[in-house]
């Protein structure tokens, strides 16, 4: 039966699908891990900035305490430094707003990363389940083929034995007749 059959598109083997899927999930997981690490580094920088802000606010509070807790405050000196203190205060306010914005974006990014990671794990579980079913189907087909081969070999032996028996019977009949 060496008839020409129309060319069919090459179907991927289970092991090819398995390897491709594994590489895909590993690549995505690695990218997620890297992104999480980058985000954690950003969070560390923000925490350092917050620590610096705490120190600046402590210095500002100490400077204000020097004037307000003094029994005889130097009003002229305070007026002279009041503008500088206001500028520092506004600078701290701006930095706090910037830090707050960064923190919000970092937390949003982490939320998204965790969501993507959860969805990827769900997808990988579905994929693994489907791949397991595909493997089971393949094993069932191979088992059926093996059983068919065994039955065919048995049938060939039986046919051979039947033919041999038939030949023997015909020879005996010929002998008996002649």
């Amino acid at each position: 039966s060496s008839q020409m059959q129309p060319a069919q598109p090459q179907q991927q083997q289970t092991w090819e699908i398995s390897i491709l899927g594994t590489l895909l999930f590993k690549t995505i997981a690695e990218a997620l891990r890297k992104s999480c690490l980058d985000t954690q580094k950003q969070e560390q920088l923000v925490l350092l900035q917050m620590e610096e802000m705490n120190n600046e606010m402590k210095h500002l509070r100490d400077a204000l305490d020097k004037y307000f807790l003094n029994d005889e405050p130097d009003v002229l000196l305070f007026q002279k430094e009041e503008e500088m203190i206001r500028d520092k205060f506004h600078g701290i306010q701006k930095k706090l707003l910037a830090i707050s914005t960064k923190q919000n974006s970092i937390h949003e990014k982490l939320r998204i990363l965790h969501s993507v990671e959860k969805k990827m794990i769900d997808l990988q579980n579905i994929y693994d389940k489907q791949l397991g079913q595909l493997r089971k189907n393949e094993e069932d087909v191979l088992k059926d083929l093996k059983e068919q081969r065994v039955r065919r070999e048995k049938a060939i032996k039986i046919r051979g034995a039947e033919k041999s028996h038939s030949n023997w019977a015909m020879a005996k009949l010929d002998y008996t007749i002649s």
Side-chain angles (χ1 to χ4, degrees):
S1 69
S2 62
Q3 296 174 350
M4 292 291 287
Q5 292 184 348
Q8 293 179 341
Q10 186 73 24
Q11 227 180 352
Q12 284 185 309
Q13 300 294 315
T14 304
W15 63 268
E16 290 176 313
I17 294 169
S18 177
I19 289 172
L20 290 175
T22 301
L23 288 174
L24 176 67
F25 286 118
K26 280 187 176 182
T27 302
I28 293 170
E30 183 62 29
L32 277 173
R33 191 183 68 75
K34 186 180 180 304
S35 196
C36 280
L37 288 174
D38 289 346
T39 306
Q40 287 171 347
K41 285 178 187 171
Q42 291 172 14
E43 197 170 29
Q44 287 298 319
L45 289 174
V46 167
L47 289 174
L48 281 174
Q49 289 175 334
M50 287 176 73
E51 216 173 282
E52 288 172 12
M53 294 311 310
N54 282 336
N55 286 334
E56 280 188 45
M57 290 190 320
K58 195 172 96 180
H59 290 307
L60 186 59
R61 187 190 63 226
D62 290 346
L64 289 172
D65 284 351
K66 194 166 53 175
Y67 296 110
F68 294 123
L69 298 178
N70 193 339
D71 290 339
E72 297 173 12
D74 186 339
V75 178
L76 291 175
L77 183 63
F78 179 74
Q79 285 175 341
K80 205 164 92 178
E81 292 191 8
E82 184 179 14
E83 197 58 39
M84 182 214 36
I85 290 172
R86 277 183 206 274
D87 288 343
K88 277 188 180 179
F89 181 74
H90 288 299
I92 289 172
Q93 267 186 324
K94 282 180 184 177
K95 285 180 185 175
L96 285 174
L97 280 172
I99 287 171
S100 177
T101 302
K102 278 183 192 174
Q103 270 187 318
N104 288 338
S105 79
I106 287 170
H107 291 153
E108 180 62 15
K109 185 176 179 182
L110 286 172
R111 187 192 64 72
I112 291 168
L113 288 171
H114 289 298
S115 171
V116 168
E117 183 180 35
K118 184 190 177 316
K119 287 177 183 172
M120 188 190 79
I121 289 169
D122 293 345
L123 185 64
Q124 191 169 7
N125 288 338
I126 291 167
Y127 168 81
D128 289 343
K129 185 178 173 186
Q130 290 175 343
L131 188 62
Q133 186 60 48
L134 187 60
R135 281 191 181 123
K136 186 186 176 312
N137 292 348
E138 236 179 44
E139 288 167 5
D140 291 347
V141 167
L142 290 172
K143 184 180 168 200
D144 287 347
L145 288 172
K146 188 176 181 181
E147 288 171 1
Q148 285 177 14
R149 190 181 75 230
V150 168
R151 284 195 302 271
R152 191 181 85 236
E153 288 170 357
K154 194 174 181 182
I156 289 171
K157 285 179 185 176
I158 290 171
R159 247 185 278 128
E162 286 174 347
K163 186 136 178 98
S164 171
H165 181 73
S166 172
N167 290 342
W168 174 81
M170 291 302 278
K172 187 175 179 186
L173 187 61
D174 280 346
Y175 179 76
T176 306
I177 294 174
S178 52

